[in-house]
Amino acid sequence: MLSKFDYYKPKSIKEALDYLDNNDETRILAGGTDLMILLRRNAITCKHILDIKAIPEIQRFDYKNGEGLYIGAGVNVNQIVDSEIIEEKYPALHQAAASLASYQLRNRATLVGNICNASPGGDLPPVLLVYDAEVHIIGPEGEKMVNIKDFFLGVKKTILKDNEIVLGVLLPDVEEGDNSVYLKQSRLKGHDLATVGVAARRNNENKISLAIAAVAPIPLKLTELEDVINEKGLSNDLPDWVEGEIKKYISPISDVRSSKEYRIHISGVLAKRALQTLIEKEVN
Amino acid sequence: MCGEHGNNCFVHVDSGLPPVGLKCVVNGEEIQACVDPTMTLLNFLRNELKLFGTKEGCGEGECGACTIIMNGETVNSCIILAVEADGAEILTVEGLAKDGELSILQQEFIKMDALQCGFCTPGMLMSARALLDRNPNPSEEEIKEALAGNFCRCTGYIPIIDAVKSAAKREREELK
């Protein structure tokens, strides 16, 4: 490693914020599954590592009726996979978490790290987008909640400032009858990044939400397409229609995982299958 | 040398940064050390504790050769800082055998020819150990899922899966 960093592990939010304020070129460490690789490749350098794992607040992980699901920055992906309440209330989150990397990596990787890393192909952002999740940020000026769709700015870029920390993410509560699904296409089963990932949700009022990863510089919530879908209403023809329509709303590139043409094709296929799943569940 | 921990001072002179104290339990033995803040846990285990069982493959958490069990859960030790293991309990492949006798899991790997070059074996064993600890009777699908982060390049996956299956069976029968 070229970076020569020292290591600081604060026990409170205040200590962490003070440290960030006084030390430029600090990187926040939670699971380290992205940060350590970037440091090792010398893709980034830093002078200080701030390990937030000893801050009690970031371990918060609870579901409250009427409020929703709070996932702290210290909660790892396997904790999400193992949560029965998530599997029941937020099925797409369970599915996306279970599809993410390998068992060992899921023991370290965190949901908050997955959004802060802001990879266009992250598995969890599309799910947070369909649930209208709020990102809980703290900084010198205090706390704020930011809607997840306003959090991403570009490839590996977020609105987070150098002196701010994401404490957690809140998924609003869901009503009885809410359902969702996450479908991912990857080169191999078990351990790969998404070639394309699609999250779809149907709430208790039959409103559809759609979000998609790895087809644009940021994870996309397909708001305009959702509006058209929700105006049309649910029908058995809807999934086929969306399969053709979705290409108007995405702008994928070709890379090592897939060609642009394949990404466009598979986005339609996954969106169709996701909607078929959500619509069929109602018929049965 | 920071002078505080005698022979357990592992400060690398290359970074020139102040050392960080580290206390952990490795294979049942209490370790007190001070380390360079940029040192990975894998390098700490191999280069300083001389536990050469844990291997470095890709160095990026993809291949699983560096898999160890930390606080009961498998992790890739190549992408964890040594200082992050402060207060942790660590099990490496060297900790599987007891009193000079290989564990059932290790015996079954040998019996089933579940290794060729052996480079992936320590990581495979640790992932399999953690699986059997949380699920003593895994299905083939569950075994595959648990080992998905461990690559074998001698194409030995089938005997490895068979070894985990038969070890699970023997453990259920013999370790009641």
Side-chain angles (χ1 to χ4, degrees):
Chain A
M1 253 181 269
L2 287 180
S3 280
K4 301 194 189 317
F5 49 80
D6 54 21
Y7 173 89
Y8 179 60
K9 193 174 186 180
K11 291 193 169 61
S12 73
I13 295 174
K14 188 180 178 305
E15 283 171 36
L17 289 176
D18 287 348
Y19 189 86
L20 284 177
D21 234 5
N22 293 317
N23 293 279
D24 290 343
E25 293 188 56
T26 300
R27 287 278 174 163
I28 296 172
L29 170 70
T33 52
D34 283 306
L35 179 64
M36 290 296 296
I37 294 165
L38 294 174
L39 284 169
R40 186 193 152 96
R41 286 182 183 166
N42 299 315
I44 58 165
T45 55
C46 68
K47 286 185 180 160
H48 314 280
I49 295 274
L50 181 75
D51 185 347
I52 57 170
K53 288 194 284 291
I55 300 173
E57 284 87 344
I58 67 150
Q59 300 306 337
R60 187 179 155 196
F61 186 30
D62 54 41
Y63 169 78
K64 285 182 189 148
N65 220 329
E67 279 181 36
L69 173 72
Y70 189 94
I71 301 172
V75 175
N76 72 43
V77 178
N78 269 341
Q79 285 178 272
I80 293 170
V81 177
D82 291 342
S83 160
E84 284 175 18
I85 194 98
I86 291 178
E87 195 173 358
E88 181 200 326
K89 300 253 182 200
Y90 305 91
L93 180 57
H94 171 84
Q95 293 155 15
S99 81
L100 190 146
S102 66
Y103 193 84
Q104 293 97 307
L105 284 170
R106 291 199 295 272
N107 277 334
R108 298 290 290 180
T110 62
L111 173 134
V112 168
N114 198 232
I115 67 165
C116 289
N117 188 47
S119 160
D123 284 306
L124 304 178
V127 178
L128 299 180
L129 283 164
V130 297
Y131 280 106
D132 255 326
E134 302 272 329
V135 184
H136 185 193
I137 298 172
I138 194 162
E141 282 96 50
E143 292 176 52
K144 59 184 171 186
M145 300 298 278
V146 174
N147 192 290
I148 184 76
K149 71 178 190 313
D150 302 321
F151 185 74
F152 303 108
L153 292 180
V155 178
K156 304 246 168 200
K157 286 197 186 78
T158 71
I159 59 156
L160 199 69
K161 297 196 191 88
D162 285 346
N163 57 4
E164 292 177 328
I165 299 173
V166 176
L167 290 180
V169 167
L170 177 75
L171 282 76
D173 199 6
V174 290
E175 303 291 329
E176 180 87 33
D178 200 298
N179 193 16
S180 66
V181 61
Y182 178 73
L183 297 179
K184 168 178 177 175
Q185 186 74 4
S186 49
R187 290 166 299 178
L188 49 94
K189 190 171 170 285
H191 182 128
D192 195 13
L193 299 173
T195 300
V196 172
V198 170
R201 173 189 176 200
R202 172 184 179 177
N203 76 3
N204 63 315
E205 290 167 343
N206 291 331
K207 287 270 181 290
I208 294 287
S209 308
L210 264 182
I212 182 161
V215 294
I218 59 169
L220 280 188
K221 187 159 196 292
L222 301 172
T223 321
E224 286 173 46
L225 181 59
E226 286 172 359
D227 289 345
V228 184
I229 291 171
N230 290 322
E231 209 164 294
K232 287 168 80 85
L234 298 188
S235 70
N236 288 332
D237 303 332
L238 182 72
D240 285 329
W241 181 81
V242 169
E243 180 182 14
E245 198 69 7
I246 198 166
K247 62 171 77 80
K248 296 181 190 165
Y249 301 87
I250 57 177
S251 52
I253 55 164
S254 295
D255 67 7
V256 62
R257 274 181 285 285
S258 163
S259 68
K260 174 185 166 177
E261 290 74 18
Y262 182 71
R263 279 204 165 93
I264 291 171
H265 169 73
I266 205 68
S267 297
V269 173
L270 293 182
K272 177 175 77 174
R273 285 184 197 155
L275 291 175
Q276 278 171 341
T277 309
L278 294 180
I279 292 171
E280 267 169 23
K281 284 223 166 132
E282 147 132 56
V283 177
N284 299 333
Chain B
M1 287 278 182
C2 72
E4 281 175 41
H5 305 109
N7 293 334
N8 275 333
C9 177
F10 301 126
V11 181
H12 279 213
V13 284
D14 53 328
S15 90
L17 291 161
V20 188
L22 165 61
K23 262 190 211 175
C24 57
V25 175
V26 180
N27 299 332
E29 192 189 333
E30 273 190 43
I31 305 283
Q32 191 170 345
C34 56
V35 294
D36 189 293
T38 65
M39 185 188 283
T40 64
L41 181 54
L42 173 68
N43 284 343
F44 177 66
L45 294 169
R46 285 182 60 88
N47 300 345
E48 314 304 350
L49 300 187
K50 308 296 178 196
L51 294 170
F52 295 119
T54 309
K55 301 289 188 274
E56 176 161 35
C58 66
E60 301 195 344
E62 294 285 337
C63 77
C66 67
T67 304
I68 59 163
I69 298 179
M70 184 161 134
N71 296 327
E73 296 284 7
T74 49
V75 294
N76 295 298
S77 61
C78 71
I79 50 170
I80 294 178
L81 293 172
V83 291
E84 287 183 80
D86 188 38
E89 196 161 318
I90 287 167
L91 183 69
T92 70
V93 70
E94 287 89 348
L96 292 182
K98 288 280 173 295
D99 304 322
E101 192 184 337
L102 292 179
S103 65
I104 289 174
L105 184 61
Q106 289 167 305
Q107 291 171 23
E108 291 306 303
F109 264 65
I110 295 171
K111 205 165 104 194
M112 296 290 175
D113 293 325
L115 59 153
Q116 235 182 97
C117 83
F119 195 85
C120 72
T121 311
M124 288 284 179
L125 285 166
M126 300 320 283
S127 283
R129 178 69 268 140
L131 169 67
L132 297 184
D133 286 344
R134 64 181 184 268
N135 179 0
N137 192 8
S139 65
E140 182 162 324
E141 205 47 43
E142 286 166 335
I143 295 171
K144 287 179 181 172
E145 176 60 31
L147 299 181
N150 293 82
F151 294 177
C152 167
R153 295 291 86 145
C154 309
T155 47
Y157 291 111
I158 289 168
I160 290 168
I161 292 162
D162 289 345
V164 178
K165 272 189 212 164
S166 65
K169 185 161 175 283
R170 270 189 67 195
E171 286 188 2
R172 290 198 306 277
E173 288 166 1
E174 295 172 31
L175 303 178
K176 270 175 197 162

